[in-house]
């Protein structure tokens, strides 16, 4: 059994001060496959001190030097994508197509940040002033388990592009991925202290970073409850905060849609990342006129095409839940759906036949109304709720009647879909299954978060404008 003993502080792999050993599981079997030694608040103090020492030199680095760093980080990560994919498969259980995408995304995020920085004016004239965009300072980067390596790399990439230094607190449940990333990034040869990695629990290490007076900004991806705790805890030092939180995203199917053409996209939007995706389209809105036809087709498509099982089998589309806790959470919501009076269209409680581990049955509820908890709360598993609407206006009202606003999906006639998209309260609307754009802003409205990541908007979240008056013209 593997024991991951080292964290990364001041350019060196070191043993944490903390002693607790935390079990790592293979979610496809439930077996313990390793342990990670967790850090504590003392480790955070050492990491923040290293990041603070490295900051003045990092902040002075030119755009060209930062671009070189991003290229080196990209090359280092690229050289380890196979290893990273294996860690994701073993420790998280995402189906192999998703695991491969996740590993590529982690490496690719350094290129996206480099492209953004290359095109971004770090200085500009505004009237008689010269405005210089300066790094915000030492940043705390906190990631969730559902895409740990990707979020580490993406957040770090934009922090470095801005000239910040960083303390990273990965998900404690993703230590194998973190270990690969840590080793890969070290090969990029960045100056000591520019980034530091401290494994640990949220309540210890995460909270210590959030409260630390020398940390200027937190970029957090995770649950809405923890996001709110971070805002409260960072108020004393008035930290800048970027939060990417949960969602309960609507998928609107227009009444003219060709169901055969759109159902694969509806399933993909709902069950991506085995349903453990903040952007999953889990509230499926269909016209009441075509409800019966849609339900029948969705049920048969899921039963015929969605394959739950071994993440290494290329035919698998839904892997296990990450943990026993997450498995139980999904089971609770499936039970709740029945208790609330929704009709089970497919799936249900328990494991799919022949599977152990943390596998759940892809589940769809019909006859759901938007007041039910299964329509309002994020389940974070492959569980969809079908709701019906009378007309376009009704569809928009139901879609927007949620405390979240991270993503939305519209399928059907292009012009009508664009018209609906314009009326949705959502950080992002995906029309007819369009692909992800890494340079476009990513984040949510309402309780889905604060601020945006990626591209120019993401870069600016790590920068502070400084106005120079009376400076000679450039
Ligand atoms: P979580 O909020 O429990 O944990 C996220 C991270 O925060 C972990 O590293 C955890 O250790 C840390 N943390 C926990 N308590 C903390 C505290 N008090 N202070 C500081 N850090 C703390 O979330 P999770 O269970 O790891 O991930 C699932 C959640 O994340 C879901 O709700 C999902 O919607 C959300 N999510 C959002 C996005 C997005 O981009 N919007 C992406 C992925 C996941």
């Amino acid at each position: 059994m593997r024991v991951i003993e080292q964290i990364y502080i001041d350019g060196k792999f070191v043993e944490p001060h903390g002693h607790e050993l935390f079990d790592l599981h293979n979610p496809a079997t439930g077996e313990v496959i390793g342990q990670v030694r967790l850090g504590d608040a003392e480790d955070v103090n050492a990491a923040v001190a290293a990041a603070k020492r490295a900051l003045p030199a990092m902040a002075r680095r030119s755009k060209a030097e930062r671009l070189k760093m991003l290229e080196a980080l990209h090359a280092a990560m690229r050289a380890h994508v196979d290893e990273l994919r294996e860690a994701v498969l073993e420790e998280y259980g995402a189906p192999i197509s998703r695991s491969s995408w996740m590993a590529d995304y982690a490496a690719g995020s350094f290129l996206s940040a480099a492209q953004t920085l290359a095109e971004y004016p770090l200085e500009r004239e505004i009237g008689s002033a010269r405005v210089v965009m300066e790094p915000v300072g030492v940043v705390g980067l906190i990631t969730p388990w559902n895409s740990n390596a990707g979020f580490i790399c993406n957040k770090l990439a934009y922090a470095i592009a801005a000239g910040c230094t960083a303390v990273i607190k990965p998900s404690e449940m993703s230590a194998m991925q973190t270990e690969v990333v840590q080793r890969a990034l070290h090969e990029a040869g960045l100056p000591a202290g520019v980034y530091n990695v401290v494994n640990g629990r949220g309540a210890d290490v995460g909270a210590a970073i959030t409260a630390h007076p020398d940390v200027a900004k937190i970029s957090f991806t995770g649950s809405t409850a923890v996001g709110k705790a971070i805002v409260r805890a960072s108020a004393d030092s008035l930290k800048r905060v970027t939060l990417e939180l949960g969602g309960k995203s609507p998928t609107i199917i227009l009444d003219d849609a060709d169901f055969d053409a759109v159902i694969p996209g509806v399933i993909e939007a709902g069950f991506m990342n085995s349903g453990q995706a903040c952007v999953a389209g889990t509230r499926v809105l269909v016209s009441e006129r075509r409800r019966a036809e849609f339900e029948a087709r969705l049920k048969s498509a899921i039963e015929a095409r969605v394959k739950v099982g071994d993440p290494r089998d290329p035919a698998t589309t839904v892997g296990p839940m990450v943990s026993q806790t997450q498995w139980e959470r999904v089971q609770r919501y499936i039970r709740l759906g029945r208790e609330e009076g929704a009709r089970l269209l497919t799936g249900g409680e328990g494991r799919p036949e022949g599977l152990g581990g943390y596998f759940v049955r892809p589940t769809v509820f019909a006859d759901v109304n938007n007041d039910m908890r299964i329509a309002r709360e994020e389940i974070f598993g492959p569980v969809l709720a079908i709701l019906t609407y009378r007309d376009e206006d009704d569809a928009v009202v139901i879609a927007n009647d949620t405390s979240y606003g991270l993503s939305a999906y519209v399928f059907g006639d292009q012009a009508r879909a664009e018209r609906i998209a314009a009326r949705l309260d959502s950080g992002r609307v995906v029309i007819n299954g369009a692909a992800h754009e890494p340079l476009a802003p990513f984040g949510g409205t309402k309780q889905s978060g604060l601020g945006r990541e990626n591209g120019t908007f993401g870069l600016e979240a790590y920068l502070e404008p400084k106005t120079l008056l009376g400076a000679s013209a450039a």
Side-chain angles (χ1 to χ4, degrees):
M1 196 173 67
R2 267 183 78 192
V3 182
I4 295 170
E5 297 251 37
Q6 292 183 317
I7 56 176
Y8 188 79
I9 296 182
D10 210 12
K12 291 188 273 301
F13 296 93
V14 295
E15 286 208 352
H17 174 267
H19 286 293
E20 181 186 352
L21 288 175
F22 179 87
D23 285 344
L24 303 168
H25 296 259
N26 176 343
T29 62
E31 278 167 353
V32 174
I33 49 172
Q35 289 187 313
V36 55
R37 185 166 152 188
L38 301 180
D40 62 14
E42 276 207 32
D43 296 305
V44 171
N45 287 340
V48 173
K52 190 178 174 185
R53 281 194 299 276
L55 182 66
M58 183 67 194
R60 280 197 306 272
R61 288 190 185 269
S62 65
K63 185 190 269 195
E65 287 174 305
R66 291 183 218 167
L67 287 171
K68 268 214 166 86
M69 286 183 168
L70 291 168
E71 281 158 24
L73 289 162
H74 172 250
M77 221 35 251
R78 265 262 48 98
H80 290 269
V81 284
D82 292 343
E83 223 184 319
L84 180 56
R85 183 196 60 236
E86 287 305 304
V88 174
L89 274 165
E90 198 181 348
E91 168 186 74
Y92 178 59
I96 188 152
S97 53
R98 181 78 189 186
S99 300
S100 305
W101 181 88
M102 284 171 147
D104 287 340
Y105 173 85
S109 52
F110 292 106
L111 286 187
S112 300
Q115 189 182 337
T116 305
L117 175 62
E119 292 164 8
Y120 186 80
L122 287 165
E123 272 191 40
R124 71 196 89 161
E125 309 294 322
I126 297 183
S128 63
R130 184 186 307 161
V131 177
V132 183
M133 300 304 285
E134 298 201 329
V136 66
V138 174
V139 297
L141 311 178
I142 304 178
T143 69
W145 44 259
N146 71 335
S147 189
N148 178 63
F151 284 118
I152 292 178
C153 291
N154 198 51
K155 289 179 192 297
L156 179 64
Y158 282 93
I160 299 244
C164 296
T165 59
V167 176
I168 301 165
K169 206 295 280 173
S171 167
E172 59 276 32
M173 292 160 69
S174 315
M176 289 187 175
Q177 295 165 59
T178 300
E179 194 273 332
V180 175
V181 171
Q182 205 167 272
R183 221 165 358 92
L185 297 184
H186 179 70
E187 288 171 15
L190 263 51
V194 166
Y195 68 92
N196 306 270
V197 184
V198 183
N199 284 315
R201 290 186 184 273
D204 307 331
V205 170
I209 294 172
T210 307
H212 204 295
D214 291 335
V215 174
K217 173 194 167 73
I218 301 286
S219 176
F220 168 81
T221 299
S223 61
T224 297
V226 173
K228 289 177 184 177
I230 286 178
V231 171
R232 283 191 285 267
S234 56
D236 270 349
S237 45
L238 276 185
K239 286 183 178 44
R240 281 68 183 132
V241 178
T242 300
L243 303 176
E244 304 292 355
L245 309 176
K248 191 74 188 178
S249 300
T251 294
I252 301 177
I253 297 149
L254 299 181
D255 61 4
D256 58 10
D258 169 357
F259 288 167
D260 284 338
V262 309
I263 279 179
V266 173
I267 294 175
E268 168 60 21
F271 291 167
M272 70 173 95
N273 204 4
S274 309
Q276 300 174 122
C278 49
V279 291
T282 48
R283 282 188 302 142
V284 181
L285 274 59
V286 64
S287 151
E288 58 189 20
R289 206 169 54 78
R290 296 185 69 196
R291 176 187 61 79
E293 182 198 351
F294 179 78
E295 284 178 11
R297 293 215 198 184
L298 183 67
K299 176 179 162 66
S300 61
I302 288 176
E303 289 170 2
R305 291 208 290 266
V306 174
K307 187 166 179 299
V308 188
D310 179 3
R312 289 174 193 277
D313 179 347
T316 295
T317 52
V318 172
M321 302 296 90
V322 69
S323 63
Q324 177 71 24
T325 308
Q326 191 64 18
W327 187 86
E328 283 164 9
R329 174 189 169 95
V330 175
Q331 300 301 315
R332 264 201 313 280
Y333 274 105
I334 296 175
R335 263 195 311 278
L336 178 67
R338 281 176 174 289
E339 288 160 14
E340 291 186 301
R343 174 167 48 92
L344 195 61
L345 191 64
T346 185
E349 282 171 64
R351 293 182 172 77
E353 229 181 283
L355 291 174
Y358 309 139
F359 289 99
V360 302
R361 299 168 68 195
T363 296
V364 181
F365 282 107
D367 297 344
V368 178
N369 70 57
N370 211 31
D371 295 328
M372 292 181 183
R373 284 179 58 198
I374 58 164
R376 302 205 79 78
E377 298 174 17
E378 185 177 53
I379 299 173
F380 229 52
V383 182
L384 307 185
I386 301 180
L387 299 98
T388 56
Y389 63 82
R390 286 187 308 279
D391 53 26
E392 259 182 45
D393 287 346
D394 194 35
V396 169
V397 168
I398 297 170
N400 288 339
D401 177 14
T402 168
S403 54
Y404 292 113
L406 188 57
S407 194
Y409 304 81
V410 189
F411 289 94
D413 171 73
Q414 186 66 23
R416 286 181 70 198
E418 290 186 28
R419 213 166 54 221
I420 297 245
R423 299 173 63 193
L424 296 177
D425 299 335
S426 175
R428 164 180 113 152
V429 183
V430 181
I431 298 170
N432 286 322
H436 178 64
E437 169 50 67
L439 296 181
F442 181 76
T445 62
K446 300 190 267 184
Q447 298 202 19
S448 286
L450 280 180
R452 295 291 183 271
E453 294 194 282
N454 297 351
T456 305
F457 293 87
L459 178 60
E460 286 188 336
Y462 291 94
L463 293 166
E464 291 275 16
K466 180 199 266 179
T467 297
L468 294 177
L469 296 170
S472 47

